């Protein structure tokens, strides 16, 4: 019987111990990072890099699992606490003094508020769930990049700059590479980590304010009772704040301030009493005051660092930071024909996103895909029988060479084959979808009418008549589906940082009917605005004019229209040309058109563009009879941008269009 009782007690004790272990583990998961790890010592530059490498070696990733959306609720909780502290110190400031770190929070709370709104807006659930999560650290289940950001903030006391970020992440990546998604999320994660840091500073502000309030309370009691003995004061202080092994420095520093503000001989006695109390804890007033000043100064620096860094990180150009950190970027910059480096950021980012998608689809690394694309481009580098664009990595990432890259990766997927077939025959797929859905909808209507008792012939007639409205609805539905399912394709562009090169000289033309002198003046003013928005070397502007249709070859006001246009073009060149022609005017004579039974510009606008291109190519056989400059003296034009009379060419659009045409994947063949 005694043995049975003993066994029951042993089992009960073991079970209780097991529960305590589970509780302790759960508690450590939730609190350890806040209580211990985030108060780590400051590290210098070299120590920080070494720590990053150690982190990379100790981090293990959760594979094939989407993360729960825990981080934003965590941030919201921290923000709510900061907000409550802000409100409390805002109220307290009206009646009493506040600490310097509290002043930082009071003056800069709006920055925290702005950043929290921005983070909520930017960190969507879909994006968050795709980030690699941690399998083994204190922040198990959170994104790896968030844990990295927390480490960076905690070991720098929130003092963040671009060089520190780049060096820390590069050191981490020397042992374990981050994905493109993680690198893009880094800025948001650092801001969240800084908000966590501010929350901890807010907790300390609250503790200080409470200690000050208790000090004021004790001081008021002492001043209201002038006859208090040493034992009375000692008991009062012990009852209010003093505990074994912990001395509240802020309480004593505040209490001494209050006592010294009072006049009278008894204040000296009270100070002596307090000094005697502190001596029992192996310290004294001078040490306590000095220590408190050091603590408050450190806290002021800490919250100041966090708020300043929060603002700084939000203003960083993360596109540049990303490209400095991305290994995929460094691989693609080795593009054999040098095009990748010359592209604008949007185009480079599109390439990287495509590599990210390929890597996810084939469950491989982004750097592996990038290296294989580079390998494809290098294999044909010396093949002179192939077109130039196949030496460009983009041909294999976003062009027709995508299948070559995918086969080189060494994986086969039926879904990829189906997708590729659909892309190659998009027009057929689009039209077939509309026809099939229209047919099925009309057939369903026909069957429904028959089931409701209508004769087959009448039902067929009604169903046939309904094809037109049904097809309209189907077209709208298919278009809506495509727009919301299929992402727009980005057309890659050369950036042209140093302006438009001479070999890409371009003429912006406005083919237009010049019906009156007033209309000519309006077009000249519009041409001037277009030029001002797109001031570039090797970019020229021209009005390509036609007269209105008429039953005569010439009208009385024709010459006045031409002379007004010539005069206006000359004035624009004098105003902006600096000794050379930037603006031009070309006008065609009327020719008789039998089908229209009228004199008009040959083939109207289409004919004007065709003939203008022929004129630039040196043809003498065009209907242009007015030219503001000799054709032989025209600059060698590579591209022509055609505008309608009511179209505005907004700032730098011409350069972007030219950069698009210059890209090897977009060159006309």
């Amino acid at each position: 019987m005694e043995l049975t009782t003993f066994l029951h007690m042993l089992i009960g004790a073991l079970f209780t111990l097991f529960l305590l272990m589970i509780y302790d583990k759960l508690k450590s998961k939730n609190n350890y990072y806040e209580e211990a790890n985030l108060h780590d010592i400051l590290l210098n530059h070299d120590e920080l890099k070494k720590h990053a490498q150690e982190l990379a070696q100790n981090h293990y990733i959760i594979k094939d699992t989407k993360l729960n959306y825990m981080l934003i609720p965590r941030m919201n909780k921290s923000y709510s606490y900061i907000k409550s502290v802000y409100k409390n110190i805002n109220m307290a400031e009206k009646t009493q003094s506040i600490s310097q770190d509290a002043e930082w929070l009071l003056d800069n709370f709006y920055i925290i508020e702005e950043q929290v709104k921005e983070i909520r807006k930017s960190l969507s659930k879909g994006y968050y769930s795709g980030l690699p999560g941690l399998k083994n650290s204190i922040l198990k289940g959170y994104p790896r990049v968030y844990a990295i950001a927390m480490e960076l903030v905690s070991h720098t006391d929130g003092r963040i700059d671009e060089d520190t970020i780049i060096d820390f992440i590069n050191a981490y990546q020397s042992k374990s590479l981050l994905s493109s998604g993680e690198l893009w999320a880094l800025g948001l994660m650092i801001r969240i980590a800084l908000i966590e840091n501010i929350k901890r500073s807010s907790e300390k502000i609250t503790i200080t304010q409470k200690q000050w309030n208790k000090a004021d309370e004790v001081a008021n009691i002492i001043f209201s009772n002038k006859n208090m003995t040493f034992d009375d004061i000692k008991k009062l202080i012990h009852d209010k704040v003093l505990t074994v092994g912990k001395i509240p420095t802020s309480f004593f520093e505040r209490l001494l301030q209050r006592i010294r503000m009072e006049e009278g001989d008894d204040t000296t006695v009270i100070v002596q009493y307090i000094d005697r109390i502190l001596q029992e804890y192996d310290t004294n007033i001078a040490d306590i005051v000095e220590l408190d000043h050091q603590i408050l100064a450190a806290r002021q620096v800490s919250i100041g660092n966090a708020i300043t860094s929060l603002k700084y990180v939000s203003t960083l150009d993360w596109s540049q930071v990303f490209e400095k950190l991305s290994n995929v970027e460094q691989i693609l910059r080795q593009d054999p024909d040098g095009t990748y480096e010359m592209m604008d950021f949007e185009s480079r980012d599109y390439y990287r996103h495509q590599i990210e998608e390929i890597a996810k689809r084939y469950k491989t690394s982004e750097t592996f895909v990038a290296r294989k694309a580079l390998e494809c481009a290098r294999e044909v580098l010396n093949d002179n029988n192939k077109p130039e664009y196949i030496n460009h990595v983009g041909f294999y990432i976003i062009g027709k060479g995508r299948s070559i890259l995918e086969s080189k990766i060494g994986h086969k997927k039926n879904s990829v084959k189906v997708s590729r077939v659909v892309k190659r025959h998009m027009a057929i797929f689009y039209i077939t979808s509309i026809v099939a859905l229209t047919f099925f909808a009309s057939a369903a209507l026909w069957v429904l009418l028959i089931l409701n008792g209508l004769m087959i012939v009448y039902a067929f007639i009604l169903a046939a008549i309904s094809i037109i409205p049904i097809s309209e609805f189907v077209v709208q539905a298919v278009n809506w589906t495509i727009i919301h399912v299929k992402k727009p394709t980005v057309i890659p562009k050369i950036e042209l940082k140093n302006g438009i090169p001479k070999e890409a000289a371009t003429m912006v033309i406005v083919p237009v009917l010049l019906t009156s002198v007033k209309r000519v003046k309006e077009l000249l003013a519009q041409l001037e605005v277009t030029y001002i928005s797109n001031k570039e070397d090797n970019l020229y502007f021209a009005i390509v004019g036609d007269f209105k249709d008429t039953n005569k070859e010439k009208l009385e006001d024709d010459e006045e229209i031409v002379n007004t246009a010539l005069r206006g073009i000359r004035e624009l060149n004098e105003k902006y040309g600096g000794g050379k022609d930037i603006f031009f005017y070309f006008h065609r004579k009327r020719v008789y058109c039998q089908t229209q039974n009228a004199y008009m510009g040959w083939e109207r606008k289409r004919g004007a563009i065709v003939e203008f291109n022929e004129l630039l190519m040196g043809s003498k056989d065009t209907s242009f009879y007015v030219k503001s400059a000799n054709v032989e003296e025209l600059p060698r034009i590579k591209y022509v941008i055609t505008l309608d009379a009511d179209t505005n060419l907004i700032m730098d659009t011409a350069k972007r269009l030219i950069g698009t045409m210059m890209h090897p994947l977009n060159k006309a063949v």
Side-chain angles (χ1 to χ4, degrees):
M1 187 71 180
E2 291 178 356
L3 181 62
T4 305
T5 305
F6 173 76
L7 287 173
H8 284 166
M9 290 175 64
L10 181 62
I11 292 168
L14 289 171
F15 182 72
T16 304
L17 182 62
F18 175 72
L19 290 176
L20 286 170
M21 287 172 65
I22 292 175
Y23 173 77
D24 187 60
K25 190 173 181 181
L26 291 171
K27 187 178 178 183
S28 68
K29 279 185 181 179
N30 293 328
N31 298 328
Y32 178 79
Y33 210 85
E34 288 82 5
E35 297 296 330
N37 233 35
L38 290 173
H39 295 282
D40 284 335
I41 58 172
L42 297 182
L43 301 178
N44 62 34
H45 184 262
D46 293 333
E47 290 170 338
L48 203 59
K49 288 166 68 175
K50 186 179 178 182
H51 180 61
Q53 292 174 335
E54 290 170 354
L55 273 179
Q57 291 173 322
N58 294 325
H59 278 170
Y60 293 93
I61 302 302
I62 303 170
K63 292 184 178 179
D64 303 325
T65 304
K66 290 192 173 183
L67 296 179
N68 291 326
Y69 199 57
M70 300 187 292
L71 189 52
I72 294 299
R74 176 189 177 117
M75 183 197 70
N76 289 338
K77 189 176 179 181
S78 296
Y79 172 67
S80 296
Y81 183 82
I82 295 168
K83 190 175 182 180
S84 67
V85 174
Y86 163 75
K87 288 180 178 178
N88 289 337
I89 60 176
N90 195 25
M91 292 294 293
E93 189 192 28
K94 297 173 183 177
T95 56
Q96 64 185 70
S97 60
I98 59 174
S99 59
Q100 290 176 317
D101 50 346
E103 286 179 4
W104 263 96
L105 181 61
L106 202 59
D107 294 339
N108 297 282
F109 177 75
Y110 72 96
I111 295 173
I112 303 164
E113 191 173 37
E114 286 173 358
Q115 291 308 308
V116 167
K117 288 178 182 176
E118 182 62 31
I119 292 164
R120 287 171 181 164
K121 182 181 175 183
S122 301
L123 194 60
S124 65
K125 284 187 178 181
Y127 180 47
Y128 176 89
S129 64
L131 294 172
L134 281 178
K135 186 178 182 180
N136 65 319
S137 95
I138 301 155
L139 287 172
K140 180 180 177 181
Y142 283 94
R144 170 174 64 169
V145 67
Y146 172 63
I148 294 169
M150 292 290 265
E151 291 286 345
L152 177 59
V153 169
S154 67
H155 287 295
T156 57
D157 194 24
R159 190 173 183 178
I160 305 294
D161 58 42
E162 185 175 343
D163 290 339
T164 304
I165 294 168
I166 289 171
D167 289 345
F168 189 80
I169 300 302
N170 279 335
Y172 187 98
Q173 290 197 114
S174 67
K175 301 297 181 183
S176 177
L177 292 179
L178 299 178
S179 68
S180 294
E182 287 178 294
L183 292 176
W184 274 121
L186 182 61
L188 290 173
M189 296 301 168
I190 290 174
R191 282 187 266 177
I192 295 172
L194 288 167
I195 289 167
E196 291 276 349
N197 221 28
I198 294 168
K199 184 242 184 182
R200 290 191 300 278
S201 294
S202 300
E203 289 171 343
K204 293 171 185 176
I205 290 170
T206 302
I207 292 168
T208 298
Q209 289 301 130
K210 286 180 179 178
Q211 288 182 4
W212 284 13
N213 290 338
K214 287 181 179 179
D216 289 340
E217 187 181 341
V218 169
N220 291 336
I221 293 170
I222 292 172
F223 297 147
S224 64
N225 188 354
K226 300 289 185 180
N227 298 320
M228 290 187 74
T229 64
F230 168 75
D231 290 333
D232 294 334
I233 293 174
K234 181 179 177 181
K235 185 177 184 306
L236 177 63
I237 290 173
H238 271 281
D239 290 344
K240 290 294 182 185
V241 293
L242 211 53
T243 57
V244 176
K246 186 175 181 182
I247 302 173
T249 58
S250 295
F251 169 82
F252 281 106
E253 205 278 337
R254 175 73 169 185
L255 181 59
L256 288 164
Q257 273 187 14
R258 287 290 309 274
I259 292 169
R260 285 165 178 163
M261 287 168 63
E262 292 291 322
E263 294 181 359
D265 296 334
D266 53 343
T267 56
T268 306
V269 175
I270 297 170
V271 170
Q272 290 172 353
Y273 286 170
I274 292 171
D275 197 39
R276 282 174 59 190
I277 294 169
L278 291 172
Q279 284 173 10
E280 294 179 13
Y281 291 86
D282 296 322
T283 187
N284 55 58
I285 287 175
D287 290 344
I288 285 293
V289 170
E290 184 181 356
L291 179 60
D292 188 63
H293 287 172
Q294 288 175 356
I295 291 170
L296 286 176
R299 280 166 43 185
Q300 182 189 354
V301 169
S302 184
I303 193 169
N305 284 344
I307 291 171
T308 303
S309 295
L310 190 61
K311 191 172 182 179
Y312 170 80
V313 170
S314 68
T315 58
L316 265 180
D317 186 349
W318 280 100
S319 60
Q320 289 188 9
V321 175
F322 173 87
E323 291 195 336
K324 288 176 183 176
L325 295 172
S326 172
N327 278 60
V328 171
E329 175 70 12
Q330 308 316 315
I331 294 168
L332 295 179
R333 281 183 179 269
Q334 300 171 42
D335 185 14
D337 77 344
T339 298
Y340 182 83
E341 235 177 331
M342 296 188 294
M343 297 193 310
D344 63 4
F345 177 80
E346 182 189 25
S347 304
R348 296 196 301 272
D349 197 43
Y350 181 59
Y351 279 28
R352 292 189 297 260
H353 277 302
Q354 290 299 305
I355 284 176
E356 191 178 2
E357 285 183 15
I358 295 170
K360 284 180 180 177
R361 184 179 296 138
Y362 291 112
K363 299 186 186 306
T364 187
S365 70
E366 295 171 23
T367 50
F368 177 76
V369 176
R371 277 194 287 268
K372 287 298 177 184
L374 187 63
E375 193 178 305
C376 290
R378 282 175 172 168
E379 283 177 353
V380 294
L381 191 58
N382 298 318
D383 191 342
N384 295 322
N385 297 320
K386 299 285 185 179
E388 289 181 11
Y389 56 77
I390 68 168
N391 296 329
H392 171 49
V393 289
F395 178 70
Y396 305 96
I397 298 170
I398 67 166
K400 293 180 179 178
R402 177 80 165 255
S403 58
I404 300 171
L405 172 61
E406 289 173 342
S407 64
K408 212 169 195 40
I409 291 170
H411 299 277
K412 302 290 183 184
K413 270 189 176 277
N414 292 329
S415 60
V416 175
K417 293 178 181 178
V418 172
S419 174
R420 196 176 296 137
V421 169
V422 171
K423 282 182 179 179
R424 285 178 182 172
H425 305 92
M426 187 60 75
I428 295 172
F429 177 77
Y430 176 72
I431 293 167
T432 303
S433 299
I434 292 172
V435 171
L437 288 170
T438 303
F439 172 78
F440 284 127
S442 298
L445 178 64
W446 181 49
V447 171
L448 190 65
L449 290 171
I450 292 171
L451 291 175
N452 279 277
L454 198 65
M455 292 180 63
I456 293 176
V457 175
Y458 292 141
F460 178 79
I461 293 170
L462 286 173
I465 293 170
S466 70
I467 287 176
I468 293 175
I470 286 173
S471 66
E472 285 293 318
F473 175 78
V474 168
V475 167
Q476 295 296 326
V478 170
N479 288 344
W480 186 91
T481 303
I482 291 172
I483 288 169
H484 287 81
V485 171
K486 179 66 180 171
K487 293 179 181 177
T489 300
V490 175
I491 301 174
K493 305 170 185 66
I494 301 298
E495 190 167 11
L496 300 180
K497 286 181 183 178
N498 300 319
I500 300 166
K502 194 171 183 179
E503 60 271 18
T506 301
M507 184 81 78
V508 178
I509 67 169
V510 184
V512 65
L513 285 176
L514 299 178
T515 55
S516 65
V517 171
K518 181 184 176 184
R519 182 62 177 146
V520 171
K521 291 178 179 178
E522 289 172 353
L523 286 166
L524 288 168
Q526 184 179 326
L527 197 66
E528 183 177 11
V529 171
T530 302
Y531 164 76
I532 291 169
S533 300
N534 294 269
K535 276 187 181 180
E536 292 286 343
D537 289 338
N538 302 311
L539 185 62
Y540 305 93
F541 302 83
I543 291 176
V544 179
D546 276 330
F547 292 122
K548 62 185 178 182
D549 299 359
T550 181
N551 56 1
K552 295 180 181 179
E553 188 175 358
K554 292 183 179 179
L555 295 180
E556 292 180 2
D557 59 349
D558 287 355
E559 288 305 311
E560 187 181 2
I561 288 171
V562 169
N563 290 333
T564 302
L566 285 170
R567 187 167 56 251
I569 291 294
R570 186 169 59 252
E571 289 171 356
L572 286 174
N573 280 322
E574 289 171 357
K575 187 175 180 181
Y576 299 107
K580 69 172 186 177
D581 287 351
I582 297 174
F583 301 91
F584 299 91
Y585 169 54
F586 304 92
H587 203 107
R588 298 194 300 166
K589 62 185 178 182
R590 294 186 185 92
V591 294
Y592 184 71
C593 177
Q594 287 186 342
T595 55
Q596 297 292 324
N597 191 26
Y599 286 92
M600 55 185 285
W602 175 74
E603 292 290 327
R604 292 200 171 95
K605 184 183 287 187
R606 186 188 73 83
I609 297 169
V610 169
E611 284 201 298
F612 182 73
N613 284 331
E614 290 175 353
L615 183 71
L616 292 177
M617 297 294 289
S619 174
K620 306 290 185 182
D621 186 23
T622 68
S623 60
F624 286 103
Y625 83 103
V626 175
K627 308 177 189 73
S628 64
N630 292 327
V631 176
E632 292 79 11
E633 296 175 2
L634 288 175
R636 186 175 179 81
I637 300 298
K638 175 72 173 177
Y639 303 116
V640 174
I641 296 173
T642 305
L643 301 181
D644 287 335
D646 58 351
T647 302
N648 294 320
L649 196 66
I650 58 176
M651 189 169 290
D652 292 332
T653 302
K655 191 161 70 170
R656 285 172 57 80
L657 288 170
I658 296 162
T660 304
M661 287 302 297
M662 288 180 67
H663 195 282
L665 295 184
N666 303 327
K667 285 183 178 177
V669 178

